[in-house]
Amino acid sequence: RVDRRQRSDVYKRQRPDGLNSSGVDVDALKAWEITTGSDEVVIAVIDTGVDYTIDDLAPNMWTNEAELNGEAGVDDDGNGFVDDIYGMDFANNDSDPMDDHGHGSHCSGTIGASGNNGIGIVGVAQNVKIMGIKFLTARGGGSLEGAIKSIDYATQMGVDVMSNSWGGGGFSEELKNSIIRAKEAGILFTAAAGNSRQNNDARPTYPATYDVDNIVAVAAVDSRGQLASFSSYGATTVDVAAPGVNVLSTTPDGLKSWSGTSMATPHVSGVAALVLANEPEISMEDLRDRLINTTKPLSSVRGKVASGGLVSAYYALMNEQPPVDPDDPWGWEKVAEQVSTDHPYANDANQEWTLSVPGANQIAVVFSRFETERSYDTVDFIDANGTVVGTMSGSHDGGCLLYTSDAAT
């Protein structure tokens, strides 16, 4: 049963047989024909640490050469930290950012697992330097103080990008100011939009929603190109989307597939690393604009993220806008339909509607508003062959949630 009014539009598209949708990815293969990265680019992964002994990560780990070749127990480079060879641990207040959880190592593999070594996976940037900064514990929690110290350390050490797959807590002027300090140093700050299924425009998620010009907030999509069921979004506060469902990457316990906007964010960090490798002189402001303005249009995130698209390594490197997606339902012929439950409806009510577009090879249902009692009232989408192609529940706004089918009804 459905407890609120729902309005939908049905779009149709005529297309030749055999024309398939393009893959939902960041176009890394095409990008690698231009560059695979550079060890001059440093990405700080601010997280649970990084297991720098993982074979796929070890070649691309950043090291503080002064401390590596210096005297143990001495602040050889005079930065105020002793023996910070691979980064820092602000969770345990020591200089060893070894990952005892796995989250930070997973994010690091997506950014920069080494290529052409015959093992494991390959990161978006095959050549890069990853600085491990730990402020989240083995249980995944961390303090505001640790977050601020982590950002300030990365700023002090002159990284190019900070990758931040974490969030929580209310507004903090101190945390915002640390991100501003990173901005003033010309450092890009990628941040996970959050996994609360919420509209960040209405309910901010920090640090992703701070109004600071170096932040790129990232939503997650699945392999079908749909906004992930868990992903937060925001037409003005979330910038781009990236793959974030069942992402295979490195952990201390081997390769694991994890999901979250945490997994989407390092894709964007990796793309930024490729652009920096190809254009070392690009400013932070231009880099941020490049990532946002060269996304591939994706109908499921139109109205959900500011760019309306999926980050693309290839188009970011080319500094070109991708071509219009022929599979984007927004360009199809539109037929308006109005569907609603009875008011009031009986308990255990079940209502069905048939939406048909004669002559269409493919249709998509796009709601301008969708509101049901979450996890209790659901709407199933069934194609003309009787196959359930999707189920939706809860409240959704933005007018861009849809299910597509190759069947005509």
Side-chain angles (χ1 to χ4, degrees):
R1 60 195 174 95
V2 182
D3 67 351
R4 300 283 181 92
R5 286 185 177 273
Q6 302 160 56
R7 181 180 183 278
S8 67
D9 293 324
V10 179
Y11 296 75
K12 73 175 182 179
R13 174 177 176 267
Q14 304 280 357
R15 73 175 192 179
D17 292 339
L19 179 61
N20 297 317
S21 297
S22 59
V24 179
D25 57 52
V26 300
D27 299 324
L29 289 176
K30 292 173 65 177
W32 292 338
E33 295 176 2
I34 301 171
T35 181
T36 58
S38 167
D39 59 11
E40 296 297 317
V41 176
V42 181
I43 310 293
V45 176
I46 300 175
D47 211 287
T48 62
V50 181
D51 186 342
Y52 43 80
T53 68
I54 295 174
D55 289 342
D56 244 358
L57 298 181
N60 285 346
M61 290 302 302
W62 171 88
T63 55
N64 185 337
E65 294 301 313
E67 297 290 347
L68 178 65
N69 300 308
E71 183 178 350
V74 174
D75 180 10
D76 298 285
D77 61 350
N79 68 348
F81 302 94
V82 175
D83 297 338
D84 51 325
I85 296 173
Y86 296 103
M88 278 296 296
D89 178 351
F90 295 104
N92 300 299
N93 294 312
D94 62 46
S95 58
D96 185 5
M98 174 57 73
D99 188 2
D100 52 8
H101 179 282
H103 192 270
S105 298
H106 195 281
C107 294
S108 297
T110 298
I111 294 170
S114 183
N116 297 316
N117 57 5
I119 60 172
I121 61 166
V122 179
V124 175
Q126 298 183 40
N127 300 296
V128 70
K129 289 303 177 186
I130 297 170
M131 177 188 293
I133 304 181
K134 177 179 176 64
F135 85 100
L136 299 174
T137 68
R139 299 181 64 181
S143 69
L144 175 63
E145 180 184 15
I148 294 170
K149 286 181 176 180
S150 297
I151 294 167
D152 284 342
Y153 175 82
T155 300
Q156 178 182 354
M157 300 307 290
V159 303
D160 298 292
V161 178
M162 300 182 194
S163 192
N164 299 272
S165 291
W166 53 275
F171 177 90
S172 165
E173 193 70 37
E174 293 82 2
L175 180 57
K176 179 180 179 182
N177 286 338
S178 71
I179 300 171
I180 291 173
R181 288 191 289 272
K183 181 198 76 168
E184 291 171 346
I187 301 169
L188 189 75
F189 189 97
T190 64
N195 302 329
S196 300
R197 305 181 179 91
Q198 71 182 25
N199 185 342
N200 288 355
D201 292 355
R203 297 179 59 191
T205 295
Y206 299 110
T209 316
Y210 285 121
D211 185 18
V212 185
D213 293 341
N214 61 334
I215 295 176
V216 178
V218 186
V221 297
D222 63 22
S223 61
R224 295 172 55 241
Q226 298 294 321
L227 183 71
S229 61
F230 53 78
S231 182
S232 296
Y233 56 92
T236 62
T237 56
V238 179
D239 298 298
V240 300
V245 178
N246 295 326
V247 176
L248 184 68
S249 191
T250 50
T251 77
D253 297 320
L255 297 177
K256 304 288 184 182
S257 290
W258 290 355
S259 298
T261 55
S262 285
M263 284 61 252
T265 301
H267 282 89
V268 179
S269 304
V271 172
L274 292 180
V275 175
L276 285 162
N278 198 51
E279 300 177 48
E281 301 304 317
I282 192 170
S283 68
M284 178 276 294
E285 294 83 1
D286 287 345
L287 173 60
R288 182 181 184 274
D289 289 345
R290 182 80 63 87
L291 294 172
I292 295 171
N293 294 336
T294 59
T295 57
K296 294 185 295 186
L298 197 60
S299 57
S300 71
V301 299
R302 187 188 301 270
K304 295 290 185 180
V305 304
S307 66
L310 182 76
V311 71
S312 169
Y314 174 74
Y315 287 105
L317 287 170
M318 296 296 292
N319 195 17
E320 294 178 358
Q321 290 188 335
V324 175
D325 181 4
D327 292 325
D328 184 349
W330 255 256
W332 302 355
E333 181 182 342
K334 182 169 73 173
V335 178
E337 296 280 355
Q338 184 84 24
V339 297
S340 174
T341 61
D342 296 331
H343 297 279
Y345 54 79
N347 289 337
D348 300 319
N350 182 28
Q351 291 187 241
E352 296 183 2
W353 301 274
T354 299
L355 306 176
S356 179
V357 183
N361 293 326
Q362 187 180 39
I363 66 173
V365 181
V366 182
F367 289 92
S368 60
R369 184 177 182 184
F370 184 100
E371 192 169 353
T372 69
E373 188 173 348
R374 179 176 165 186
S375 301
Y376 183 73
D377 296 328
T378 62
V379 176
D380 293 329
F381 297 83
I382 304 171
D383 67 16
N385 299 319
T387 302
V388 177
V389 296
T391 298
M392 287 169 55
S393 181
S395 298
H396 307 283
D397 53 17
C400 60
L401 289 162
L402 56 90
Y403 284 96
T404 60
S405 172
D406 287 338
T409 61

